[in-house]
mmCIF file of all heavy atoms in Angstrom:
data_model
loop_
_atom_site.group_PDB
_atom_site.id
_atom_site.type_symbol
_atom_site.label_atom_id
_atom_site.label_comp_id
_atom_site.label_asym_id
_atom_site.label_seq_id
_atom_site.Cartn_x
_atom_site.Cartn_y
_atom_site.Cartn_z
ATOM 1 N N THR A 151 0.846 -1.206 0.007
ATOM 2 C CA THR A 151 -0.001 0.009 0.016
ATOM 3 C C THR A 151 0.869 1.249 -0.004
ATOM 4 O O THR A 151 1.777 1.369 0.900
ATOM 5 C CB THR A 151 -0.920 -0.008 1.259
ATOM 6 O OG1 THR A 151 -1.694 -1.180 1.225
ATOM 7 C CG2 THR A 151 -1.878 1.197 1.156
ATOM 8 N N TYR A 152 0.658 2.125 -0.964
ATOM 9 C CA TYR A 152 1.475 3.333 -1.123
ATOM 10 C C TYR A 152 0.860 4.554 -0.485
ATOM 11 O O TYR A 152 1.537 5.554 -0.202
ATOM 12 C CB TYR A 152 1.758 3.587 -2.559
ATOM 13 C CG TYR A 152 2.481 2.477 -3.296
ATOM 14 C CD1 TYR A 152 1.938 1.828 -4.388
ATOM 15 C CD2 TYR A 152 3.752 2.084 -2.858
ATOM 16 C CE1 TYR A 152 2.604 0.840 -5.052
ATOM 17 C CE2 TYR A 152 4.444 1.060 -3.521
ATOM 18 C CZ TYR A 152 3.888 0.456 -4.595
ATOM 19 O OH TYR A 152 4.549 -0.516 -5.294
ATOM 20 N N VAL A 153 -0.454 4.526 -0.315
ATOM 21 C CA VAL A 153 -1.203 5.721 0.194
ATOM 22 C C VAL A 153 -1.855 5.307 1.497
ATOM 23 O O VAL A 153 -2.758 4.479 1.495
ATOM 24 C CB VAL A 153 -2.220 6.178 -0.838
ATOM 25 C CG1 VAL A 153 -3.062 7.334 -0.299
ATOM 26 C CG2 VAL A 153 -1.526 6.605 -2.183
ATOM 27 N N ASP A 154 -1.527 6.006 2.569
ATOM 28 C CA ASP A 154 -2.053 5.646 3.892
ATOM 29 C C ASP A 154 -3.573 5.773 3.941
ATOM 30 O O ASP A 154 -4.280 4.971 4.655
ATOM 31 C CB ASP A 154 -1.456 6.535 4.994
ATOM 32 C CG ASP A 154 -0.023 6.167 5.262
ATOM 33 O OD1 ASP A 154 0.434 5.091 4.877
ATOM 34 O OD2 ASP A 154 0.700 7.052 5.835
ATOM 35 N N SER A 155 -4.141 6.723 3.193
ATOM 36 C CA SER A 155 -5.564 6.937 3.315
ATOM 37 C C SER A 155 -6.449 5.805 2.808
ATOM 38 O O SER A 155 -7.624 5.742 3.055
ATOM 39 C CB SER A 155 -5.961 8.226 2.524
ATOM 40 O OG SER A 155 -5.752 8.070 1.165
ATOM 41 N N VAL A 156 -5.829 4.852 2.049
ATOM 42 C CA VAL A 156 -6.681 3.701 1.570
ATOM 43 C C VAL A 156 -6.454 2.463 2.386
ATOM 44 O O VAL A 156 -7.161 1.462 2.180
ATOM 45 C CB VAL A 156 -6.341 3.438 0.070
ATOM 46 C CG1 VAL A 156 -6.536 4.660 -0.741
ATOM 47 C CG2 VAL A 156 -5.019 2.778 -0.114
ATOM 48 N N LYS A 157 -5.595 2.483 3.359
ATOM 49 C CA LYS A 157 -5.306 1.294 4.209
ATOM 50 C C LYS A 157 -6.630 0.942 4.886
ATOM 51 O O LYS A 157 -7.287 1.768 5.562
ATOM 52 C CB LYS A 157 -4.221 1.605 5.180
ATOM 53 C CG LYS A 157 -2.846 1.600 4.550
ATOM 54 C CD LYS A 157 -1.784 1.826 5.592
ATOM 55 C CE LYS A 157 -0.358 1.814 4.969
ATOM 56 N NZ LYS A 157 0.721 2.038 5.946
ATOM 57 N N GLY A 158 -6.899 -0.372 4.872
ATOM 58 C CA GLY A 158 -8.103 -0.862 5.522
ATOM 59 C C GLY A 158 -9.361 -0.635 4.757
ATOM 60 O O GLY A 158 -10.446 -1.156 5.123
ATOM 61 N N ARG A 159 -9.305 0.086 3.640
ATOM 62 C CA ARG A 159 -10.529 0.362 2.761
ATOM 63 C C ARG A 159 -10.407 -0.278 1.427
ATOM 64 O O ARG A 159 -11.340 -0.658 0.802
ATOM 65 C CB ARG A 159 -10.752 1.860 2.677
ATOM 66 C CG ARG A 159 -10.946 2.537 4.000
ATOM 67 C CD ARG A 159 -11.404 3.984 3.757
ATOM 68 N NE ARG A 159 -10.425 4.821 3.032
ATOM 69 C CZ ARG A 159 -10.702 5.418 1.842
ATOM 70 N NH1 ARG A 159 -11.899 5.259 1.316
ATOM 71 N NH2 ARG A 159 -9.780 6.154 1.294
ATOM 72 N N PHE A 160 -9.186 -0.303 0.851
ATOM 73 C CA PHE A 160 -8.955 -0.802 -0.522
ATOM 74 C C PHE A 160 -8.151 -2.081 -0.396
ATOM 75 O O PHE A 160 -7.235 -2.206 0.412
ATOM 76 C CB PHE A 160 -8.182 0.223 -1.364
ATOM 77 C CG PHE A 160 -8.928 1.421 -1.755
ATOM 78 C CD1 PHE A 160 -10.126 1.810 -1.152
ATOM 79 C CD2 PHE A 160 -8.378 2.241 -2.729
ATOM 80 C CE1 PHE A 160 -10.784 2.945 -1.509
ATOM 81 C CE2 PHE A 160 -9.085 3.412 -3.115
ATOM 82 C CZ PHE A 160 -10.220 3.749 -2.530
ATOM 83 N N THR A 161 -8.434 -3.035 -1.256
ATOM 84 C CA THR A 161 -7.634 -4.204 -1.397
ATOM 85 C C THR A 161 -7.685 -4.719 -2.822
ATOM 86 O O THR A 161 -8.478 -4.241 -3.609
ATOM 87 C CB THR A 161 -8.061 -5.290 -0.357
ATOM 88 O OG1 THR A 161 -7.047 -6.330 -0.360
ATOM 89 C CG2 THR A 161 -9.411 -5.910 -0.782
ATOM 90 N N ILE A 162 -6.889 -5.721 -3.155
ATOM 91 C CA ILE A 162 -6.791 -6.308 -4.463
ATOM 92 C C ILE A 162 -7.117 -7.760 -4.355
ATOM 93 O O ILE A 162 -6.657 -8.464 -3.421
ATOM 94 C CB ILE A 162 -5.420 -6.114 -5.082
ATOM 95 C CG1 ILE A 162 -5.089 -4.588 -5.316
ATOM 96 C CG2 ILE A 162 -5.292 -6.859 -6.425
ATOM 97 C CD1 ILE A 162 -3.664 -4.323 -5.741
ATOM 98 N N SER A 163 -8.001 -8.227 -5.256
ATOM 99 C CA SER A 163 -8.281 -9.650 -5.292
ATOM 100 C C SER A 163 -8.114 -10.203 -6.653
ATOM 101 O O SER A 163 -8.006 -9.383 -7.645
ATOM 102 C CB SER A 163 -9.729 -9.899 -4.816
ATOM 103 O OG SER A 163 -10.661 -9.234 -5.691
ATOM 104 N N ARG A 164 -8.046 -11.517 -6.800
ATOM 105 C CA ARG A 164 -7.817 -12.084 -8.088
ATOM 106 C C ARG A 164 -8.908 -13.058 -8.549
ATOM 107 O O ARG A 164 -9.556 -13.696 -7.631
ATOM 108 C CB ARG A 164 -6.527 -12.972 -8.076
ATOM 109 C CG ARG A 164 -5.241 -12.198 -7.740
ATOM 110 C CD ARG A 164 -4.091 -13.208 -7.779
ATOM 111 N NE ARG A 164 -2.842 -12.608 -7.333
ATOM 112 C CZ ARG A 164 -1.987 -11.956 -8.091
ATOM 113 N NH1 ARG A 164 -2.261 -11.805 -9.360
ATOM 114 N NH2 ARG A 164 -0.871 -11.535 -7.546
ATOM 115 N N ALA A 165 -9.114 -13.200 -9.789
ATOM 116 C CA ALA A 165 -9.972 -14.292 -10.351
ATOM 117 C C ALA A 165 -9.070 -14.936 -11.424
ATOM 118 O O ALA A 165 -9.113 -14.591 -12.596
ATOM 119 C CB ALA A 165 -11.243 -13.686 -10.966
ATOM 120 N N ASN A 166 -8.331 -15.940 -10.979
ATOM 121 C CA ASN A 166 -7.283 -16.501 -11.859
ATOM 122 C C ASN A 166 -7.872 -17.117 -13.122
ATOM 123 O O ASN A 166 -7.296 -16.991 -14.207
ATOM 124 C CB ASN A 166 -6.485 -17.520 -11.108
ATOM 125 C CG ASN A 166 -5.741 -16.950 -9.942
ATOM 126 O OD1 ASN A 166 -5.409 -15.798 -9.945
ATOM 127 N ND2 ASN A 166 -5.357 -17.745 -8.955
ATOM 128 N N ALA A 167 -9.004 -17.778 -12.991
ATOM 129 C CA ALA A 167 -9.603 -18.413 -14.120
ATOM 130 C C ALA A 167 -10.033 -17.401 -15.215
ATOM 131 O O ALA A 167 -10.143 -17.793 -16.363
ATOM 132 C CB ALA A 167 -10.798 -19.291 -13.666
ATOM 133 N N LYS A 168 -10.277 -16.190 -14.785
ATOM 134 C CA LYS A 168 -10.645 -15.153 -15.705
ATOM 135 C C LYS A 168 -9.491 -14.257 -16.131
ATOM 136 O O LYS A 168 -9.685 -13.334 -16.891
ATOM 137 C CB LYS A 168 -11.769 -14.269 -15.122
ATOM 138 C CG LYS A 168 -13.074 -15.016 -14.809
ATOM 139 C CD LYS A 168 -14.104 -14.051 -14.232
ATOM 140 C CE LYS A 168 -15.391 -14.776 -13.905
ATOM 141 N NZ LYS A 168 -16.385 -13.892 -13.334
ATOM 142 N N ASN A 169 -8.289 -14.559 -15.613
ATOM 143 C CA ASN A 169 -7.145 -13.744 -15.847
ATOM 144 C C ASN A 169 -7.469 -12.250 -15.547
ATOM 145 O O ASN A 169 -7.138 -11.330 -16.349
ATOM 146 C CB ASN A 169 -6.668 -13.857 -17.304
ATOM 147 C CG ASN A 169 -5.170 -13.546 -17.453
ATOM 148 O OD1 ASN A 169 -4.397 -13.586 -16.514
ATOM 149 N ND2 ASN A 169 -4.795 -13.200 -18.697
ATOM 150 N N THR A 170 -8.098 -12.078 -14.446
ATOM 151 C CA THR A 170 -8.641 -10.753 -14.024
ATOM 152 C C THR A 170 -8.241 -10.430 -12.585
ATOM 153 O O THR A 170 -8.161 -11.387 -11.780
ATOM 154 C CB THR A 170 -10.145 -10.721 -14.139
ATOM 155 O OG1 THR A 170 -10.484 -10.944 -15.576
ATOM 156 C CG2 THR A 170 -10.760 -9.391 -13.749
ATOM 157 N N LEU A 171 -8.051 -9.169 -12.349
ATOM 158 C CA LEU A 171 -7.713 -8.739 -11.028
ATOM 159 C C LEU A 171 -8.673 -7.585 -10.670
ATOM 160 O O LEU A 171 -9.073 -6.851 -11.563
ATOM 161 C CB LEU A 171 -6.281 -8.281 -11.025
ATOM 162 C CG LEU A 171 -5.596 -7.916 -9.681
ATOM 163 C CD1 LEU A 171 -4.140 -8.367 -9.726
ATOM 164 C CD2 LEU A 171 -5.595 -6.396 -9.552
ATOM 165 N N TYR A 172 -8.987 -7.469 -9.373
ATOM 166 C CA TYR A 172 -9.939 -6.496 -8.982
ATOM 167 C C TYR A 172 -9.357 -5.527 -7.977
ATOM 168 O O TYR A 172 -8.622 -5.947 -7.082
ATOM 169 C CB TYR A 172 -11.207 -7.148 -8.405
ATOM 170 C CG TYR A 172 -11.850 -8.167 -9.303
ATOM 171 C CD1 TYR A 172 -11.639 -9.505 -9.131
ATOM 172 C CD2 TYR A 172 -12.722 -7.759 -10.285
ATOM 173 C CE1 TYR A 172 -12.231 -10.428 -9.960
ATOM 174 C CE2 TYR A 172 -13.365 -8.670 -11.124
ATOM 175 C CZ TYR A 172 -13.079 -10.022 -10.953
ATOM 176 O OH TYR A 172 -13.697 -10.922 -11.786
ATOM 177 N N LEU A 173 -9.803 -4.271 -8.043
ATOM 178 C CA LEU A 173 -9.568 -3.299 -6.935
ATOM 179 C C LEU A 173 -10.893 -3.205 -6.156
ATOM 180 O O LEU A 173 -11.890 -2.740 -6.677
ATOM 181 C CB LEU A 173 -9.137 -1.989 -7.473
ATOM 182 C CG LEU A 173 -8.923 -0.886 -6.425
ATOM 183 C CD1 LEU A 173 -7.786 -1.259 -5.485
ATOM 184 C CD2 LEU A 173 -8.654 0.490 -7.102
ATOM 185 N N GLU A 174 -10.902 -3.666 -4.944
ATOM 186 C CA GLU A 174 -12.069 -3.636 -4.072
ATOM 187 C C GLU A 174 -11.991 -2.393 -3.206
ATOM 188 O O GLU A 174 -11.015 -2.329 -2.401
ATOM 189 C CB GLU A 174 -12.127 -4.906 -3.219
ATOM 190 C CG GLU A 174 -11.947 -6.243 -3.983
ATOM 191 C CD GLU A 174 -13.275 -6.815 -4.427
ATOM 192 O OE1 GLU A 174 -14.325 -6.149 -4.251
ATOM 193 O OE2 GLU A 174 -13.220 -7.959 -4.984
ATOM 194 N N MET A 175 -12.923 -1.540 -3.309
ATOM 195 C CA MET A 175 -12.920 -0.293 -2.562
ATOM 196 C C MET A 175 -14.167 -0.161 -1.639
ATOM 197 O O MET A 175 -15.278 -0.423 -2.147
ATOM 198 C CB MET A 175 -12.876 0.892 -3.503
ATOM 199 C CG MET A 175 -11.748 0.817 -4.479
ATOM 200 S SD MET A 175 -11.610 2.321 -5.588
ATOM 201 C CE MET A 175 -13.081 2.103 -6.561
ATOM 202 N N SER A 176 -13.958 0.197 -0.416
ATOM 203 C CA SER A 176 -15.085 0.335 0.485
ATOM 204 C C SER A 176 -14.904 1.652 1.290
ATOM 205 O O SER A 176 -13.871 2.238 1.259
ATOM 206 C CB SER A 176 -15.171 -0.890 1.457
ATOM 207 O OG SER A 176 -14.025 -0.980 2.224
ATOM 208 N N SER A 177 -15.937 2.026 1.985
ATOM 209 C CA SER A 177 -15.940 3.250 2.771
ATOM 210 C C SER A 177 -15.456 4.396 1.963
ATOM 211 O O SER A 177 -14.535 5.167 2.462
ATOM 212 C CB SER A 177 -15.167 3.049 4.072
ATOM 213 O OG SER A 177 -15.666 2.022 4.838
ATOM 214 N N LEU A 178 -15.909 4.538 0.764
ATOM 215 C CA LEU A 178 -15.425 5.563 -0.161
ATOM 216 C C LEU A 178 -15.659 6.969 0.339
ATOM 217 O O LEU A 178 -16.683 7.277 0.963
ATOM 218 C CB LEU A 178 -16.016 5.347 -1.569
ATOM 219 C CG LEU A 178 -15.383 4.189 -2.343
ATOM 220 C CD1 LEU A 178 -16.273 3.704 -3.442
ATOM 221 C CD2 LEU A 178 -13.999 4.524 -2.808
ATOM 222 N N LYS A 179 -14.671 7.823 0.056
ATOM 223 C CA LYS A 179 -14.741 9.211 0.415
ATOM 224 C C LYS A 179 -14.639 10.089 -0.853
ATOM 225 O O LYS A 179 -14.172 9.655 -1.879
ATOM 226 C CB LYS A 179 -13.614 9.545 1.384
ATOM 227 C CG LYS A 179 -13.458 8.653 2.514
ATOM 228 C CD LYS A 179 -12.170 8.928 3.360
ATOM 229 C CE LYS A 179 -12.086 7.999 4.549
ATOM 230 N NZ LYS A 179 -10.838 8.268 5.289
ATOM 231 N N ALA A 180 -15.064 11.377 -0.653
ATOM 232 C CA ALA A 180 -14.972 12.300 -1.810
ATOM 233 C C ALA A 180 -13.570 12.360 -2.360
ATOM 234 O O ALA A 180 -13.359 12.470 -3.578
ATOM 235 C CB ALA A 180 -15.488 13.637 -1.346
ATOM 236 N N GLU A 181 -12.554 12.300 -1.503
ATOM 237 C CA GLU A 181 -11.203 12.429 -1.978
ATOM 238 C C GLU A 181 -10.665 11.216 -2.710
ATOM 239 O O GLU A 181 -9.563 11.216 -3.184
ATOM 240 C CB GLU A 181 -10.265 12.725 -0.793
ATOM 241 C CG GLU A 181 -10.392 11.773 0.389
ATOM 242 C CD GLU A 181 -11.303 12.351 1.499
ATOM 243 O OE1 GLU A 181 -12.346 12.929 1.154
ATOM 244 O OE2 GLU A 181 -10.910 12.136 2.668
ATOM 245 N N ASP A 182 -11.472 10.151 -2.782
ATOM 246 C CA ASP A 182 -11.200 8.988 -3.642
ATOM 247 C C ASP A 182 -11.502 9.207 -5.063
ATOM 248 O O ASP A 182 -11.215 8.358 -5.948
ATOM 249 C CB ASP A 182 -11.851 7.696 -3.108
ATOM 250 C CG ASP A 182 -11.362 7.330 -1.691
ATOM 251 O OD1 ASP A 182 -10.189 7.417 -1.415
ATOM 252 O OD2 ASP A 182 -12.225 6.925 -0.903
ATOM 253 N N THR A 183 -12.218 10.302 -5.374
ATOM 254 C CA THR A 183 -12.604 10.648 -6.735
ATOM 255 C C THR A 183 -11.337 10.751 -7.613
ATOM 256 O O THR A 183 -10.417 11.371 -7.238
ATOM 257 C CB THR A 183 -13.412 11.929 -6.744
ATOM 258 O OG1 THR A 183 -14.626 11.686 -6.062
ATOM 259 C CG2 THR A 183 -13.700 12.362 -8.171
ATOM 260 N N GLY A 184 -11.468 10.138 -8.799
ATOM 261 C CA GLY A 184 -10.408 10.289 -9.770
ATOM 262 C C GLY A 184 -10.490 9.195 -10.841
ATOM 263 O O GLY A 184 -11.448 8.414 -10.857
ATOM 264 N N VAL A 185 -9.473 9.215 -11.672
ATOM 265 C CA VAL A 185 -9.394 8.159 -12.795
ATOM 266 C C VAL A 185 -8.448 7.100 -12.244
ATOM 267 O O VAL A 185 -7.312 7.420 -11.787
ATOM 268 C CB VAL A 185 -8.895 8.741 -14.076
ATOM 269 C CG1 VAL A 185 -8.821 7.628 -15.125
ATOM 270 C CG2 VAL A 185 -9.838 9.855 -14.587
ATOM 271 N N TYR A 186 -8.890 5.852 -12.287
ATOM 272 C CA TYR A 186 -8.112 4.776 -11.781
ATOM 273 C C TYR A 186 -7.590 3.937 -12.920
ATOM 274 O O TYR A 186 -8.290 3.615 -13.856
ATOM 275 C CB TYR A 186 -9.004 3.856 -10.855
ATOM 276 C CG TYR A 186 -9.280 4.514 -9.514
ATOM 277 C CD1 TYR A 186 -10.121 5.593 -9.390
ATOM 278 C CD2 TYR A 186 -8.637 3.967 -8.359
ATOM 279 C CE1 TYR A 186 -10.331 6.185 -8.162
ATOM 280 C CE2 TYR A 186 -8.909 4.564 -7.107
ATOM 281 C CZ TYR A 186 -9.695 5.645 -7.007
ATOM 282 O OH TYR A 186 -9.980 6.215 -5.795
ATOM 283 N N TYR A 187 -6.321 3.526 -12.758
ATOM 284 C CA TYR A 187 -5.636 2.758 -13.788
ATOM 285 C C TYR A 187 -5.028 1.488 -13.154
ATOM 286 O O TYR A 187 -4.475 1.584 -12.085
ATOM 287 C CB TYR A 187 -4.475 3.537 -14.386
ATOM 288 C CG TYR A 187 -4.867 4.825 -15.094
ATOM 289 C CD1 TYR A 187 -4.991 6.010 -14.407
ATOM 290 C CD2 TYR A 187 -5.108 4.857 -16.474
ATOM 291 C CE1 TYR A 187 -5.331 7.165 -14.984
ATOM 292 C CE2 TYR A 187 -5.420 6.022 -17.151
ATOM 293 C CZ TYR A 187 -5.517 7.149 -16.379
ATOM 294 O OH TYR A 187 -5.892 8.339 -17.012
ATOM 295 N N CYS A 188 -5.092 0.378 -13.852
ATOM 296 C CA CYS A 188 -4.274 -0.753 -13.459
ATOM 297 C C CYS A 188 -3.120 -0.892 -14.442
ATOM 298 O O CYS A 188 -3.216 -0.360 -15.560
ATOM 299 C CB CYS A 188 -5.129 -2.033 -13.530
ATOM 300 S SG CYS A 188 -5.776 -2.560 -15.064
ATOM 301 N N ALA A 189 -2.067 -1.502 -13.941
ATOM 302 C CA ALA A 189 -0.829 -1.553 -14.758
ATOM 303 C C ALA A 189 -0.058 -2.776 -14.425
ATOM 304 O O ALA A 189 -0.014 -3.190 -13.214
ATOM 305 C CB ALA A 189 -0.008 -0.311 -14.625
ATOM 306 N N ALA A 190 0.573 -3.394 -15.368
ATOM 307 C CA ALA A 190 1.376 -4.617 -15.177
ATOM 308 C C ALA A 190 2.848 -4.187 -15.129
ATOM 309 O O ALA A 190 3.380 -3.560 -16.044
ATOM 310 C CB ALA A 190 1.124 -5.579 -16.285
ATOM 311 N N ASN A 191 3.502 -4.654 -14.075
ATOM 312 C CA ASN A 191 4.952 -4.373 -13.901
ATOM 313 C C ASN A 191 5.741 -5.255 -14.833
ATOM 314 O O ASN A 191 5.219 -6.330 -15.288
ATOM 315 C CB ASN A 191 5.294 -4.631 -12.428
ATOM 316 C CG ASN A 191 6.693 -4.133 -12.082
ATOM 317 O OD1 ASN A 191 7.650 -4.716 -12.370
ATOM 318 N ND2 ASN A 191 6.659 -2.977 -11.420
#
């Protein structure tokens, strides 16, 4: 986790059979507004 404000609220999960990854976000706040990108290292 790189941003303290998302600790305990955001996590990442996988669906291996679908070759898909998810960003799970809860307790969302106005400051979470933005454009979200996933990226492969």
Side-chain angles (χ1 to χ4, degrees):
T151 304
Y152 299 122
V153 177
D154 287 344
S155 65
V156 306
K157 286 182 178 179
R159 300 190 299 120
F160 289 14
T161 192
I162 297 174
S163 61
R164 299 181 188 273
N166 295 338
K168 297 181 179 180
N169 204 21
T170 298
L171 188 141
Y172 303 100
L173 177 64
E174 311 268 6
M175 304 183 291
S176 62
S177 302
L178 283 161
K179 306 174 182 180
E181 52 263 43
D182 295 320
T183 294
V185 180
Y186 285 72
Y187 300 86
C188 62
N191 195 281

